[in-house]
Amino acid sequence: MDRKIRCIIVDDEPLARKVLVKHTEQIDQLEVVAVCANAVDAFCHLQKGNIDLVFLDIKMPKINGLELLESLNPAPLVVFTTAYREFAIKAFELDAIDYLLKPISMGRFMKTIAKANKYLSGQSISQPQQPSKAASETSTSAEPEPLHIKAQRKIIKLDLSHITYLESLNDKVIIHTLDNEITTSQRIGHLSEKLPKERFIRIHRSFMIAVDKVSAFNSIMVEINGKELPIGRNYRSHVLDILQNTSD
């Protein structure tokens, strides 16, 4: 996208506004049209149109960020910037393109701008670019390597597509599959290094899941085969990023 991305910042906290302004100043493509301390002022700017992107806090006096977004039709792209994790699911239900937890690092902010760029240029963020014919044939013909598990005094070759999640329990790991459970003395950290990162993610110090086996999720748990697994606080931001992008 060649033209500037016109954006506004909406947050009732002066320090939070200052951080976002500083981040935007480091990206030449961003043009900050307005910095607002409340949703009412932001609404007035948005009614004038020609805004591409809104950095929007959630907990604000009188009208919160979620209510502001619900009032907009059509709405520009919205990125929620908040200190509260519990609104993530509602935010994504309202088609926010990202959910940034304060304090917002520059690296994480840049990832969000890259995502906004793809939306505004009409690219799909949920589908990869079409590979060449040769690459496509190679990828479809190559089967992923099975996971080799030391269990029951033997080595078990386990198809990755059968794994639903791994559970660390005391000094062992239980590997849950579509129709079975395998217990091994291998550590979950050791096993995680053998699993492809695009297919398996750590959601808790005791749990690692197959992304494609998740049937539902919110900001504190994922559901796999009717089983609710907790999302650890230190893993939450990354897990929500992955799961939301996968479900787009």
Side-chain angles (χ1 to χ4, degrees):
M1 184 176 177
D2 295 328
R3 71 174 179 84
K4 294 273 190 178
I5 297 176
R6 292 170 55 84
C7 58
I8 67 173
I9 294 167
V10 190
D11 200 306
D12 64 321
E13 298 176 6
L15 180 58
R17 296 196 299 271
K18 184 177 180 180
V19 169
L20 285 171
V21 168
K22 185 176 180 181
H23 285 348
T24 59
E25 287 175 343
Q26 296 182 62
I27 300 179
D28 291 339
Q29 192 181 10
L30 297 180
E31 177 185 350
V32 178
V33 176
V35 179
C36 305
N38 59 70
V40 175
D41 287 348
F43 182 80
C44 294
H45 282 285
L46 289 165
Q47 292 306 296
K48 299 174 185 177
N50 205 21
I51 302 296
D52 300 307
L53 180 63
V54 182
F55 297 101
L56 183 58
D57 187 21
I58 290 182
K59 283 201 171 183
M60 294 184 290
K62 296 184 179 179
I63 300 174
N64 66 43
L66 295 171
E67 292 169 333
L68 174 60
L69 179 52
E70 288 178 321
S71 72
L72 301 175
N73 186 21
L77 298 184
V78 170
V79 173
F80 280 109
T81 58
T82 178
Y84 302 92
R85 302 174 185 272
E86 62 265 30
F87 302 107
I89 301 303
K90 177 63 175 177
F92 289 128
E93 287 175 350
L94 293 174
D95 294 328
I97 67 165
D98 214 340
Y99 193 90
L100 301 182
L101 287 172
K102 300 173 183 176
I104 301 167
S105 70
M106 186 61 196
R108 183 65 181 82
F109 185 80
M110 290 171 65
K111 286 178 64 178
T112 295
I113 300 308
K115 184 184 292 188
N117 246 321
K118 290 183 179 180
Y119 272 103
L120 293 169
S121 62
Q123 298 179 39
S124 168
I125 67 164
S126 59
Q127 297 295 330
Q129 293 182 347
Q130 291 297 321
S132 66
K133 183 177 180 182
S136 178
E137 290 174 351
T138 301
S139 64
T140 54
S141 61
E143 292 294 329
E145 290 290 328
L147 181 65
H148 292 79
I149 303 296
K150 295 178 182 179
Q152 303 165 11
R153 298 184 180 180
K154 55 189 174 184
I155 302 295
I156 299 174
K157 292 175 65 177
L158 188 57
D159 190 326
L160 298 186
S161 65
H162 293 176
I163 300 174
T164 56
Y165 66 95
L166 285 67
E167 178 181 8
S168 178
L169 191 63
N170 298 324
D171 59 349
K172 61 186 179 181
V173 170
I174 302 173
I175 301 173
H176 298 262
T177 70
L178 294 172
D179 52 14
N180 199 5
E181 292 180 0
I182 299 171
T183 301
T184 177
S185 59
Q186 293 176 275
R187 300 288 184 178
I188 193 169
H190 174 71
L191 293 173
S192 68
E193 293 177 359
K194 296 184 175 184
L195 293 168
K197 291 179 172 55
E198 68 273 12
R199 296 178 61 177
F200 294 86
I201 58 171
R202 196 82 173 263
I203 65 166
H204 188 280
R205 66 179 182 178
S206 298
F207 293 99
M208 187 170 193
I209 64 166
V211 174
D212 65 342
K213 300 301 189 297
V214 174
S215 57
F217 68 94
N218 60 29
S219 61
I220 61 172
M221 71 86 190
V222 302
E223 183 176 307
I224 297 179
N225 285 351
K227 174 81 171 180
E228 292 187 358
L229 308 176
I231 299 176
R233 181 178 60 185
N234 294 334
Y235 299 87
R236 193 164 293 148
S237 179
H238 176 65
V239 171
L240 290 175
D241 279 347
I242 296 296
L243 295 182
Q244 176 59 31
N245 286 337
T246 303
S247 62
D248 281 345

